[in-house]
Amino acid sequence: MRNKVFALNSKAALVLVFAVCLGPIRAKDEESIKGLRDALVALAPDVDPHEAELLSVTAHTTSRRLAREYGVTWDPAIHNFLINIGVKKRGICADYTHDIGACLKEFHFKTLVLHWGAAYAKQADENNGLVVTARNQPFLDGIVLDGWRKAGRLFWGPVKKDREYEVGRRNLLGQLGGHPHSGITAWREDLQESALLQEDRPSPAESNRKQ
């Protein structure tokens, strides 16, 4: 019964997301939304297709919305520079990852798991993104979601096949693409941040009531 109720709730939430968010960007993102949904379903036989579609729609629409809220109008690297000099306030890769993750976390997926990934951690060209796996599936077998890379147009793909973020795939200036492909992913899981994505924490209002 709980599974049936969840399925109904997922469908209702999906309809709401489509109605409110998807209309203005449907032509641009429809194919990508379907592709990500299918890739998520293919992660494991027990992945719920309704969860996969809900995650895909939400991730795409949220990434677009965040780019507008952050005021992203140029290349994301330029936007990062504007943040560094104080012209803009938010919109680095970690902001996308945190904010998209916060939206997805609210659905409490049963068959999909959210992880926080970092490539070239603590380096000048560090990138952060969400990685989605099936239950009990290794991080490296998941799919990376990156809202920053294309300035709000959601990038997604298998972690191991993300050719822009491979070990050694940088030149001396810290730019991507400086060396031939190594075939070894630079993505690693940030376990502390993943724990925050996966735990069920009370809302600020609930926390205040307990104090």
Side-chain angles (χ1 to χ4, degrees), residues 137-168:
Q137 189 174 47
F139 171 85
L140 292 179
D141 290 342
I143 295 173
V144 61
L145 311 181
D146 183 352
W148 174 83
R149 191 181 315 191
K150 295 185 177 181
R153 181 164 64 89
L154 188 72
F155 168 90
W156 63 268
V159 172
K160 292 179 180 177
K161 295 183 179 180
D162 188 358
R163 300 189 73 185
E164 290 188 55
Y165 288 92
E166 294 181 344
V167 173

Side-chain angles (χ1 to χ4, degrees), residues 3 20 23 35 42 74 89 95 100 147 151 162 185 193 197 203 206-207:
N3 291 338
V20 175
W74 292 292
K89 295 186 179 298
D95 292 330
I100 295 173
D162 188 358
T185 184
E193 293 293 343
L197 285 169
S203 67
E206 292 173 334
S207 298

